[in-house]
Amino acid sequence: MTSRTAGAAAQDEWLWYGGRVCLDYVNTLRDRWKEPRETLREPDDVLRWLHTAGVTGEPIRTPAQPEVMLGFARRLREAIDRAVMAAAGGGLPDVGDLSLINDAAMVVPRPAPQVVIVGGRLAPGNRKDGAEDAAAGLGLVAHDAVELLLSDEIHRVRVCGADRCALRFVDRSPAHNRRWCSMARCGNRTKVRSHQLRHGG
């Protein structure tokens, strides 16, 4: 599952540089290098993220136990992150993390694939209806994590090289040497800071 189009400004509440829905979801915990900053602070944040990412339709059903859903959403996010980073580094994920991801993915049937024409080429499309509730939406995120873990793209997962950022992304650059989550967000700022340090600025 490809991630939401990354046309959002750097000041957006959430960032869309991961290249996969599951990595954009992992990136809802920011600044992992230094002092992690939570963007899924309330149950409504999870619902809004799922809708903004195009995973759920509208209106989305409010969960019966919002705080329980929030806790599960955060645990799933961290299980996905640990599993992806372990596999990207050539290791095997923790069995408990895989179990959590698989259990979440079982909540919703695999959506039928869609195909659309974008820029004169065939491309995967998103379901127009979307999941109806948070459990199903998180299930689709888990589906994407399973697909990533089983695909060759797992070896192209990178971590932004900026000293505070640590956003995860799939490196689809031709030379497979992408260093930053975004040149505009971290690349240019890091280069400017390095230049100032070298020249005493």
Side-chain angles (χ1 to χ4, degrees), residues 173-187:
S173 64
H176 306 309
N177 61 353
R178 179 176 159 193
R179 294 183 59 194
W180 319 109
C181 62
S182 158
M183 199 63 196
R185 182 175 189 270
C186 285

Side-chain angles (χ1 to χ4, degrees), residues 115 120 161:
V115 62

Side-chain angles (χ1 to χ4, degrees), residues 38-106:
E38 182 63 74
T39 67
L40 302 180
R41 294 175 293 273
E42 305 290 339
D44 280 351
D45 293 331
V46 177
L47 303 184
R48 288 190 302 109
W49 187 92
L50 290 169
H51 179 66
T52 304
V55 177
T56 57
E58 195 173 28
I60 184 173
R61 289 200 295 262
T62 302
Q65 297 178 295
E67 293 298 332
V68 172
M69 181 274 296
L70 176 61
F72 176 76
R74 290 175 177 171
R75 288 194 305 277
L76 175 63
R77 179 188 62 196
E78 297 312 299
I80 291 172
D81 184 50
R82 288 190 297 267
V84 166
M85 296 312 295
L92 289 175
D94 179 81
V95 174
D97 288 337
L98 292 181
S99 179
L100 181 59
I101 294 166
N102 286 331
D103 287 348
M106 288 174 56

